[in-house]
Amino acid sequence: MVRITEDLLRQRAEHNNCELFSLEEISLEYIDKLCRDLKILYLQNNLIPKIENVSKLKKLEYLNLALNNIERIENLEGCEELQKLDLTANFIGELSSIEILKHNIHLKELFLVGNPCTEFEGYREFVVATLHQLKSLDSKEIERSERIRALQNYRQVEKQIREQEQVYLLKRAREKEEALKRIQEKQEKKKEKQREPKPGFDRRWYTDINNTIPDPLEDKENHQQKETEKEYQEWNIDKEDEEDKAFWEEPTPYTPESRLEAHRYLEEKRRVKENIRGQKVKEESPKTLVTAEGKVLNMNEPKLHFFLQDDEENNQFILDLAVYRYLDSSLIDVDVQPTYIRVMVKGKPFQLVLPAEVKPDSSSAKRSQTTGHLVISMPKAQEIIMANQKVRTLVKPSNSNKSQTNVKREQVEKLEVDPSKYSFPDVANIIQEKERIGQGPIRLQQQKVIDTKPSCIDFEDNQDVPPLI
């Protein structure tokens, strides 16, 4: 069974940038041609005015059309396996249209709660007598005795139902006319409201072409004009709140037109809020990606998960950016610079400063078909020599085997120096430190007293002989 999931809806909403909260239109055409084995179909709460394009679903077992604007039952003859039909809270007033369900011989459950036809006198008896295959109506089981009584009074009940249908159809015609008049009146009021000038502005501009000297009160007038516009905005918000309250408190008939009117009102309110939000975004100053001093800033405005990998083996950086899975690639713009990378996702910048300089011309960007991630490979600008890099060298042929020449062997490059082959002098004690005897500019030490006593008894001091150095 294929379900209409969130992912499927996002795929079908590519024209709306895969966003569902603001989706206004989605096309599920050819559902009766492409999904022939469909068994369950949920179409509730979609303002559908008519049952159509399901007649070729031969294997359909459950059809949910609750909370729509359907006024009669039709185009279900081809659903041969239909067992359950939910039409809760619609506008079915032609109760006789249920006779078309006689062809659905497997129909067991029918829900018509919340439809105008349920207020008809003899409603349940007419449905029970018309559809013999039903086992339950509006979640209440049909007993055998109830069916017998309904069949006995069928002629009389059918006549009552036909008369009430005619009254209802006349009422619906009047409701349609009133709804059309009400829509025209609101459109005229809306046009008049648009023609009304803003408070404090008479919709005329005055310009003195001969005055080229700036007015010293210009700044003051601009300030007053801004205050007037602010007051008008606050007044407009209060007025909108009053209009909103009056709209929901106004009594309206329970008709398809009133439901559509409420839907249009909500959509218009939503558009106004989006326009105000868009104007605020435009008024905001642009994001600063590079400062005036030339410093590049890191930024992740689209709030995407990312992972930057330093691939030392291939001497490159790899950025894995978790872009939205169903986002069109035309909405992504990649700009690789020597020191940073910038990715624009739907106009929102993702900017990252790189740890080292890269080659923009040799960089490449790829998109994953399964996850939608954006993978960017950026080769480094500087080559790095690995310590464990293997170098191939030529070995000279040996005398024992001269026939084998140019034999290549792999050797590991040594980075250390062999101390056995090279000797260095010890330069630590080349110059001996002389004892300081106070010969410097400041005499802090006493001079050493030289002992002139003879070292032995036979020593004679001859003053004519100079002392030994």
Side-chain angles (χ1 to χ4, degrees):
M1 179 179 62
V2 180
R3 295 171 179 251
I4 301 178
T5 60
E6 181 180 350
D7 292 341
L8 179 60
L9 290 176
R10 289 188 185 279
Q11 288 180 359
R12 301 296 296 171
E14 293 179 354
H15 60 284
N16 199 48
N17 295 335
C18 303
E19 295 177 352
L20 298 181
F21 71 94
S22 60
L23 185 65
E24 299 180 2
E25 179 182 354
I26 188 166
S27 178
L28 296 175
E29 70 273 12
Y30 309 121
I31 192 172
D32 58 337
K33 297 178 181 179
L34 302 178
C35 306
R36 295 294 180 89
D37 293 335
L38 199 63
K39 292 185 177 181
I40 300 175
L41 181 58
Y42 296 94
L43 294 173
Q44 68 271 22
N45 197 15
N46 284 296
L47 300 175
I48 299 174
K50 184 179 180 181
I51 302 176
E52 56 185 352
N53 297 331
V54 294
S55 58
K56 295 183 180 180
L57 300 176
K58 304 293 184 182
K59 298 182 180 180
L60 188 65
E61 297 178 359
Y62 175 35
L63 178 60
N64 191 332
L65 288 167
L67 292 169
N68 284 292
N69 290 349
I70 299 171
E71 298 192 50
R72 68 190 313 270
I73 303 173
E74 56 187 344
N75 300 324
L76 292 175
E77 305 92 324
C79 302
E80 299 174 357
E81 299 294 329
L82 188 62
Q83 300 178 12
K84 184 177 179 180
L85 178 61
D86 192 349
L87 293 168
T88 302
N90 278 275
F91 298 94
I92 299 175
E94 297 184 41
L95 186 57
S96 59
S97 62
I98 65 168
E99 294 179 354
I100 200 69
L101 298 177
K102 290 181 179 180
H103 302 280
N104 306 100
I105 59 176
H106 298 288
L107 185 63
K108 305 299 179 185
E109 298 180 67
L110 179 62
F111 297 87
L112 293 172
V113 178
N115 286 272
C117 63
T118 57
E119 300 177 1
F120 292 173
E121 185 179 356
Y123 148 73
R124 186 173 177 87
E125 291 84 349
F126 179 79
V127 176
V128 170
T130 303
L131 304 177
H132 301 167
Q133 72 274 29
L134 276 186
K135 301 295 182 183
S136 173
L137 176 61
D138 298 334
S139 299
K140 185 178 180 181
E141 186 179 356
I142 301 174
E143 298 180 356
R144 185 169 179 272
S145 58
E146 182 183 7
R147 191 181 303 278
I148 293 173
R149 288 195 299 270
L151 290 173
Q152 290 175 351
N153 301 327
Y154 178 72
R155 297 298 179 186
Q156 182 180 357
V157 172
E158 182 185 14
K159 184 179 179 181
Q160 293 178 351
I161 294 296
R162 301 287 183 183
E163 292 175 356
Q164 294 176 80
E165 275 186 3
Q166 296 299 324
V167 175
Y168 174 79
L169 292 177
L170 293 175
K171 178 183 175 183
R172 276 294 297 140
R174 290 194 299 269
E175 289 175 351
K176 290 180 180 179
E177 292 179 359
E178 293 175 358
L180 183 61
K181 290 181 181 179
R182 187 164 55 251
I183 291 173
Q184 291 176 353
E185 290 176 357
K186 288 186 177 182
Q187 288 178 351
E188 291 177 357
K189 289 181 180 180
K190 187 176 180 180
K191 291 180 180 178
E192 292 177 358
K193 180 182 176 182
Q194 292 176 352
R195 295 193 193 100
E196 293 179 357
K198 296 180 181 180
F201 179 56
D202 59 357
R203 302 187 67 83
R204 290 182 294 176
W205 297 96
Y206 301 92
T207 305
D208 187 2
I209 60 176
N210 297 320
N211 186 13
T212 57
I213 302 174
D215 189 358
L217 301 177
E218 183 178 359
D219 295 337
K220 185 177 180 180
E221 292 179 357
N222 292 336
H223 180 68
Q224 292 178 353
Q225 184 178 1
K226 290 181 179 179
E227 289 183 352
T228 304
E229 291 178 355
K230 185 177 180 181
E231 292 177 358
Y232 170 73
Q233 290 178 357
E234 293 177 355
W235 170 79
N236 196 16
I237 291 172
D238 295 337
K239 187 177 180 181
E240 287 179 356
D241 292 340
E242 293 177 359
E243 292 178 354
D244 191 28
K245 185 177 180 181
F247 177 83
W248 294 112
E249 290 181 354
E250 180 184 1
T252 54
Y254 181 64
T255 60
E257 291 78 18
S258 62
R259 183 176 286 182
L260 283 172
E261 185 178 359
H263 175 73
R264 293 193 189 100
Y265 182 79
L266 293 174
E267 286 296 314
E268 185 177 356
K269 287 289 184 182
R270 182 186 59 78
R271 290 193 186 97
V272 170
K273 290 181 180 179
E274 287 183 356
N275 292 335
I276 294 173
R277 193 183 301 114
Q279 291 176 1
K280 289 182 179 179
V281 171
K282 291 180 180 179
E283 291 174 359
E284 291 180 358
S285 59
K287 300 292 182 180
T288 303
L289 301 177
V290 182
T291 61
E293 295 79 11
K295 182 180 179 181
V296 181
L297 303 178
N298 291 329
M299 186 172 295
N300 189 4
E301 189 173 344
K303 298 180 180 180
L304 301 174
H305 296 285
F306 67 93
F307 177 72
L308 182 64
Q309 178 185 359
D310 188 358
D311 187 3
E312 295 182 354
E313 183 177 356
N314 297 319
N315 194 29
Q316 64 179 355
F317 292 114
I318 299 177
L319 175 63
D320 186 352
L321 191 61
V323 183
Y324 312 122
R325 184 176 181 182
Y326 296 113
L327 182 66
D328 193 350
S329 298
S330 62
L331 300 174
I332 304 173
D333 186 17
V334 181
D335 183 15
V336 180
Q337 297 295 331
T339 58
Y340 67 93
I341 178 174
R342 182 184 301 165
V343 181
M344 302 296 293
V345 181
K346 293 172 59 178
K348 297 180 180 180
F350 170 88
Q351 187 166 276
L352 182 65
V353 179
L354 300 174
E357 190 173 347
V358 298
K359 300 177 181 178
D361 297 339
S362 304
S363 302
S364 63
K366 297 180 181 179
R367 187 90 182 273
S368 175
Q369 295 182 354
T370 56
T371 62
H373 286 205
L374 181 66
V375 181
I376 306 171
S377 302
M378 298 166 285
K380 297 179 183 178
Q382 296 180 355
E383 298 289 340
I384 300 176
I385 301 175
M386 305 299 296
N388 295 328
Q389 185 176 2
K390 295 180 179 181
V391 181
R392 296 180 180 271
T393 58
L394 293 176
V395 181
K396 295 182 180 180
S398 60
N399 296 329
S400 61
N401 190 5
K402 295 182 179 180
S403 60
Q404 296 179 357
T405 58
N406 299 331
V407 179
K408 296 182 181 180
R409 295 181 181 178
E410 295 182 356
Q411 295 181 354
V412 179
E413 182 181 358
K414 295 182 179 180
L415 301 179
E416 297 84 2
V417 177
D418 189 358
S420 62
K421 295 183 180 180
Y422 302 94
S423 62
F424 297 93
D426 187 6
V427 297
N429 298 320
I430 290 180
I431 301 176
Q432 296 181 357
E433 183 180 1
K434 294 183 179 181
E435 296 181 355
R436 186 176 182 84
I437 58 176
Q439 298 296 332
I442 301 177
R443 298 179 180 271
L444 298 177
Q445 298 180 359
Q446 296 180 358
Q447 294 183 358
K448 292 184 179 180
V449 179
I450 302 174
D451 189 7
T452 58
K453 293 181 179 181
S455 61
C456 61
I457 301 174
D458 298 335
F459 176 77
E460 292 182 1
D461 185 11
N462 191 352
Q463 296 182 356
D464 295 334
V465 179
L468 296 176
I469 297 175

